[in-house]
Amino acid sequence: MNHFHAVDGTLFCEGVALETLADRHGTPLYVYSRAAIEEAFSAYQTALAGHDHLICYAVKANSNLAVLGLLAELGAGFDIVSIGELERVLAAGGDPGKVVFSGVCKNRADMLRALQAGIHCFNVESEAELETLAAVARENDLIAPVSLRVNPDVDARTHPYIATGLKDNKFGIAIDAALPLYNRAADLPGIRPIGLDCHIGSQILAIEPFAEALDHLVRLVDQLQDQGISLQHIDVGGGLGVSYQGETVPAVADYVAALTEPLAGHNLTLILEPGRSIVANGGVLLTRVEYLKPGRHKNFALVDAAMNDLLRPALYGAWQDIVAVAPSQAEATTWDIVGPVCETGDFLGHARELALTSGDILAVMGAGAYGFTMASNYNSRPRPAEILVDLDCSHVVRERESLQQLWAGEATLPGKPR
Ligand code: LLP
């Protein structure tokens, strides 16, 4: 079900009109639907019901405490890539025993904190990281549960910046180097190898690359078994992509079937780390049209959200739908939707057919994933507020940053007047 729906040209999130939220809380404003997020998570749970599994939601997609809290309540585990993400999960009531720690460059302090919190598994990406983790665990009389992230050299057919499973990418351990490293891990005091993982990329719209990667992983698990190393889980990384521009997305049930069938006969828990597919379509970014600047060559609609609020269009050339939240009397024409930041790359959309008047509120759709989490203070712009809608109620789940917060922690030189 679409939880962002229009009634007579007025766009609602569940039972709340988006224009009302923009008027009440100002813009730019992120708005999330509780029902949409829960539904997306439940689709994975339902599809995986017949198989031993753990869904570790990728916190980097949307790390708001309210989002993490509601997923924790539904039984989610979490995929983290920093101590900041771990502390968020704990603050939101998440279970550290269901946390997997990914990332190419964990430092000793990260490792110690995660060991002390009792996370489920470290997804280790290099021999040097494995040795460091072993040392940190030994020094503290702890045992680190470990999975090696292998790089299966599979083409995920996605944007090059978010393809991670090719041998050219910085991620993971070359698959042919994994066997000796597992043997090393099994011998290392302080380390307990329990799993095997990969993550080949994001916004993947075909099942085949996942299946191909899994095939490599299953073969490795069998080889390890032959050498007396038996693992408890296999982790296939991030989830499916989403439809931003009418792309066809495989059904979660088909994707899950493609991942569980090759595991038949293996006594392995399947771990998935979906992020985007849980939250992307559960969120929008609201922005107000400040000025219209029609021209002979181009028409620009200057809006109050910018690349610092939503980076995906500027960084990846990503296309996200932009719609008016209320009916307009204006004539539709073609607009470039651009923000106030001083860069030509600061756009939300090019050549969009919209009927606009200054003061109108627009919604950038599919903004629940990699939206707020990639926001910055560039151009000294406070980051937006975030709202979570639950039926007819809306909750401020993060206040708009204040101007003072922009320079909190900074100082002028001693003795210089302020
Ligand atoms: N696991 C690992 C180890 C990851 O690196 C990622 C995403 C995920 C899971 C979640 O993948 P998903 O289910 O969301 O596809 N900022 C980019 C996306 C970067 C993804 C990075 N890793 C974007 O806005 O498109």
Side-chain angles (χ1 to χ4, degrees):
M1 189 181 157
N2 191 352
H3 297 281
F4 291 90
H5 59 278
V7 179
D8 297 332
T10 300
L11 193 62
F12 284 77
C13 173
E14 303 192 24
V16 180
L18 289 172
E19 194 163 40
T20 313
L21 292 177
D23 288 345
R24 193 179 306 151
H25 302 285
T27 48
L29 186 70
Y30 276 98
V31 180
Y32 310 126
S33 153
R34 174 184 176 137
I37 295 171
E38 287 196 356
E39 221 168 78
F41 183 77
S42 302
Y44 279 95
Q45 270 184 324
T46 308
L48 284 158
H51 202 281
D52 197 8
H53 71 272
L54 177 61
I55 308 167
C56 292
Y57 165 71
V59 173
K60 63 170 80 68
N62 185 324
S63 55
N64 186 283
L65 286 198
V67 171
L68 301 181
L70 84 90
L71 291 170
E73 253 177 60
L74 295 174
F78 297 93
D79 166 54
I80 59 159
V81 289
S82 68
I83 283 308
E85 288 190 350
L86 176 60
E87 298 299 351
R88 278 183 176 275
V89 167
L90 299 177
D95 176 355
K98 291 183 181 173
V99 166
V100 296
F101 194 169
S102 300
V104 273
C105 190
K106 309 168 192 78
N107 64 31
R108 293 176 67 99
D110 297 340
M111 291 170 176
L112 181 57
R113 175 70 184 114
L115 277 168
Q116 285 169 340
I119 66 163
H120 178 61
C121 193
F122 289 84
N123 292 351
V124 168
E125 300 219 19
S126 64
E127 182 170 0
E129 184 191 338
L130 182 70
E131 300 288 344
T132 305
L133 180 58
V136 173
R138 269 199 321 271
E139 284 159 21
N140 293 279
D141 284 327
L142 294 165
I143 302 283
V146 157
S147 160
L148 296 188
R149 172 171 173 177
V150 296
N151 182 327
D153 195 24
V154 165
D155 185 358
R157 291 178 255 154
T158 184
H159 190 285
Y161 288 6
I162 53 175
T164 52
L166 288 168
K167 60 174 185 279
D168 276 354
N169 307 139
K170 70 178 173 182
F171 298 98
I173 294 156
I175 194 139
D176 46 9
L179 213 53
L181 203 53
Y182 268 105
N183 281 303
R184 171 82 183 126
D187 288 344
L188 264 178
I191 296 289
R192 184 154 47 93
I194 63 162
L196 169 61
D197 70 286
C198 73
H199 170 71
I200 56 170
S202 192
Q203 183 55 7
I204 302 174
L205 293 169
I207 291 175
E208 295 77 34
F210 291 108
E212 198 184 326
L214 180 64
D215 188 51
H216 290 293
L217 263 54
V218 171
R219 258 184 280 157
L220 185 55
V221 165
D222 290 341
Q223 288 170 324
L224 288 167
Q225 186 74 52
D226 291 344
Q227 303 202 358
I229 299 174
S230 71
L231 301 180
Q232 299 162 19
H233 77 246
I234 207 160
D235 173 350
V236 209
L240 283 167
V242 300
S243 174
Y244 287 108
Q245 200 174 2
E247 301 93 334
T248 307
V249 182
V252 173
D254 294 338
Y255 158 82
V256 164
L259 298 182
T260 49
E261 277 159 22
L263 296 183
H266 290 83
N267 193 15
L268 288 167
T269 300
L270 175 63
I271 297 185
L272 300 178
E273 304 169 358
R276 188 191 309 270
S277 49
I278 306 289
V279 286
N281 288 325
V284 299
L285 172 63
L286 300 183
T287 182
R288 186 178 297 269
V289 178
E290 296 284 359
Y291 303 109
L292 294 177
K293 193 159 103 168
R296 222 178 300 156
H297 294 296
K298 260 204 173 161
N299 299 319
F300 293 104
L302 297 137
V303 302
D304 64 2
M307 63 189 286
N308 73 293
D309 304 301
L310 179 69
L311 184 60
R312 301 192 69 258
L315 187 59
Y316 314 111
W319 193 98
Q320 295 184 214
D321 202 9
I322 302 176
V323 300
V325 304
S328 165
Q329 305 303 319
E331 285 268 308
T333 186
T334 306
W335 297 98
D336 275 14
I337 312 296
V338 295
V341 159
C342 301
E343 298 216 21
T344 301
D346 178 32
F347 67 93
L348 297 177
H350 287 137
R352 303 300 175 92
E353 194 68 12
L354 286 163
L356 297 182
T357 311
S358 69
D360 285 355
I361 304 295
L362 301 176
V364 184
M365 307 305 290
Y370 305 111
F372 186 91
T373 50
M374 293 175 79
S376 75
N377 292 122
Y378 187 39
N379 278 205
S380 285
R381 290 168 50 84
R383 286 177 296 171
E386 294 174 286
I387 306 288
L388 182 70
V389 172
D390 184 11
L391 302 171
D392 292 333
C393 297
S394 62
H395 305 273
V396 179
V397 292
R398 183 182 170 106
E399 285 177 12
R400 185 175 304 286
E401 259 173 353
S402 68
L403 290 172
Q404 286 71 21
Q405 282 173 296
L406 289 177
W407 56 84
E410 294 181 23
T412 52
L413 284 177
K416 304 268 174 197
R418 236 184 129 167

